[in-house]
């Protein structure tokens, strides 16, 4: 534990932490959400707590919470992958507006880097957005590398032409008669889980900019654990698959998610087509079919959001044609732990 006159920093394992700790962290996350996205519906605290409780078996998660009395005013979660990319520590760090410019972010970062290095990690990876400018300013002071510029893009469904979805589906059927598309709501069919895991690995072809990151390998076990978390939080998922008629191979998929109580927001997850099956209009076809079905199932939806690397021109072309527009500018940053140590060493008052 680290203390000073303004706060105390304590670590926690979210899978076993007392309910009161996770409730305070969830309340802090809602404060940050309200600053970044004041127009959005609130996240139910119980949903956030349940999400934090479900730690995947192939990662280690540690929280560092800065307390002011009984409130968490600053927070860092450190995600340590245990299979691939074991040189990296992924960090989500936030400080409430009233507590900024007092050295709290640096104090949390000291805990993070000490923990990361103790676990053999040599590089930190984190994200900032233009909705909280202090995050990017702090990251630049660290000397971190802006490794992957990206945007959250948003589709206002009031501006969507529904006929466009029909047109894209009809064009897909005409251009690619050797394929069929089919819908799946909720958990994936168990008998095809290995195929779906293999299809997920196509996401490794998406741009990662300058991130020092090796390919992630999806497995049936990872998919099962993810689905358990979804079931616990009530998250809804709709997937459209593209399948090659002759071989029966799954060649593409597109996914949408929404959360009960926050039904106005749809989140576009992965969309991927195997490279050897591209240029048949499959990407547009599966996205159109999936969105049309999602809107039939969730009439409350008002917006669709998705994250895209600025360099992902192929997917951006599809999204812009559908009506998505830039909503939030974001950057994935990376920095060596030695560089962070050097920065913190110049701030001895934080020890």
């Amino acid at each position: 534990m680290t203390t000073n006159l303004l706060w105390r920093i304590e670590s926690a394992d979210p899978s076993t932490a007392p309910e009161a700790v996770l409730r305070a962290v969830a309340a802090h996350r809602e404060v940050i959400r309200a600053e970044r996205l004041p127009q959005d519906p609130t996240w139910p605290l119980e949903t956030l707590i349940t999400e934090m409780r479900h730690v995947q078996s192939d990662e280690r998660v540690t929280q560092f919470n800065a307390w002011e009395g009984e409130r968490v005013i600053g927070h860092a979660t450190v995600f340590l992958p245990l299979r691939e990319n074991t040189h990296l520590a992924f960090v989500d760090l936030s400080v409430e507006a009233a507590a900024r410019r007092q050295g709290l972010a640096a104090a949390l970062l000291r805990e993070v880097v000490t923990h990361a290095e103790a676990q053999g990690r040599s590089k930190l990876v984190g994200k900032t957005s233009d909705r909280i400018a202090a995050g990017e300013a702090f990251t630049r002071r660290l000397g971190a590398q802006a490794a992957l510029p990206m945007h959250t893009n948003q589709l206002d469904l009031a501006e969507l032409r529904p006929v466009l979805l029909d047109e894209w589906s009809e064009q897909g059927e005409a251009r690619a008669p050797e394929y069929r598309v089919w819908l799946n709501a909720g958990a994936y069919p168990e008998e095809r889980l290995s195929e779906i895991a293999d299809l997920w690995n196509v996401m490794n072809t998406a741009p990662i900019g300058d991130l020092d990151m090796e390919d992630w390998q999806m497995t049936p076990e990872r998919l099962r654990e993810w689905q358990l978390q979804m079931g616990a939080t009530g998250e809804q998922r709709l997937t459209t698959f593209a399948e090659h008629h002759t071989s029966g191979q799954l060649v593409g998929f597109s996914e949408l998610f929404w959360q009960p109580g926050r039904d106005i927001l749809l989140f576009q997850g992965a969309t991927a087509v195997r490279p050897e099956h591209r240029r048949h209009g499959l990407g547009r076809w599966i996205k159109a079919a999936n969105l049309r079905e999602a809107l039939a199932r969730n009439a409350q939806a008002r917006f669709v959001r998705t994250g895209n690397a600025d360099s992902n021109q192929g997917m951006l072309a599809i999204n812009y044609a559908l009506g998505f527009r830039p909503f939030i500018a974001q950057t994935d940053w990376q920095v060596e732990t030695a560089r962070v140590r050097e920065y913190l060493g110049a701030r001895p008052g934080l020890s």
Side-chain angles (χ1 to χ4, degrees), residues 143-164:
Q145 176 190 12
L148 182 63
M150 58 190 305
H151 277 79
T152 293
N153 296 304
Q154 177 172 275
L155 170 62
D156 185 339
L157 290 169
E159 300 176 3
L160 174 68
R161 293 190 305 114
V163 68
L164 182 64

Side-chain angles (χ1 to χ4, degrees), residues 2-7 9 102-108 110-111 341-351:
T2 300
T3 62
N4 71 9
L5 295 177
L6 300 176
W7 60 73
I9 297 177
Q102 300 174 36
L104 179 52
L108 284 165
R110 185 182 299 279
E111 302 292 338
R341 283 279 180 205
E342 180 182 341
Y343 171 81
L344 294 172
R347 300 167 66 83
L350 296 174
S351 58

Side-chain angles (χ1 to χ4, degrees), residues 146-205:
L148 182 63
M150 58 190 305
H151 277 79
T152 293
N153 296 304
Q154 177 172 275
L155 170 62
D156 185 339
L157 290 169
E159 300 176 3
L160 174 68
R161 293 190 305 114
V163 68
L164 182 64
L165 304 181
D166 297 329
E167 290 172 356
W168 283 13
S169 293
E170 292 167 3
Q171 291 166 5
E173 293 176 8
R175 291 182 59 190
E178 63 271 36
Y179 301 89
R180 74 180 184 100
V181 302
W182 51 276
L183 291 157
N184 185 81
Y188 299 133
E190 181 65 27
E191 68 275 10
R192 305 202 72 171
L193 207 57
S194 293
E195 297 175 75
I196 294 169
D198 180 67
L199 180 60
W200 255 96
N201 289 325
V202 177
M203 290 300 295
N204 286 315
T205 64

Side-chain angles (χ1 to χ4, degrees), residues 33-179:
R33 192 278 314 158
E35 181 181 3
R36 293 180 65 246
L37 297 163
Q39 74 277 31
D40 279 12
T42 61
W43 276 100
L45 293 188
E46 295 303 325
T47 299
L48 295 177
I49 292 169
T50 301
E51 180 185 87
M52 286 186 278
R53 287 276 189 219
H54 280 74
V55 176
Q56 303 293 315
S57 63
D58 58 4
E59 68 178 355
R60 182 175 297 119
V61 181
T62 302
Q63 295 180 348
F64 295 95
N65 300 313
W67 295 84
E68 182 183 68
E70 300 304 311
R71 291 184 60 246
V72 169
I73 59 171
H75 169 80
T77 299
V78 183
F79 302 88
L80 302 179
L82 301 179
R83 293 177 60 176
E84 310 93 345
N85 294 296
T86 55
H87 63 298
L88 299 178
F90 294 85
V91 183
D92 180 12
L93 191 153
S94 55
V95 174
E96 294 181 11
R100 291 176 193 152
R101 304 191 66 81
Q102 300 174 36
L104 179 52
L108 284 165
L109 190 60
R110 185 182 299 279
E111 302 292 338
V112 167
V113 74
T114 299
H115 174 69
E117 290 183 334
Q119 300 299 317
R121 309 306 164 113
S122 59
K123 190 167 288 187
L124 308 182
V125 178
K127 186 185 296 291
T128 63
S129 88
D130 63 354
R131 296 300 181 93
I132 300 182
E136 179 172 341
F138 177 69
T139 307
R140 288 192 181 281
R141 289 196 298 273
L142 286 179
Q145 176 190 12
L148 182 63
M150 58 190 305
H151 277 79
T152 293
N153 296 304
Q154 177 172 275
L155 170 62
D156 185 339
L157 290 169
E159 300 176 3
L160 174 68
R161 293 190 305 114
V163 68
L164 182 64
L165 304 181
D166 297 329
E167 290 172 356
W168 283 13
S169 293
E170 292 167 3
Q171 291 166 5
E173 293 176 8
R175 291 182 59 190
E178 63 271 36
Y179 301 89

Side-chain angles (χ1 to χ4, degrees), residues 4 15 25 55 62 78 83 89 98 138 185 189 208 217 263-264 293 321 325 338 345:
N4 71 9
S15 66
V25 174
V55 176
T62 302
V78 183
R83 293 177 60 176
F138 177 69
I208 62 170
Q217 297 302 316
D263 308 74
I264 67 168
E293 181 66 18
R325 296 294 179 264

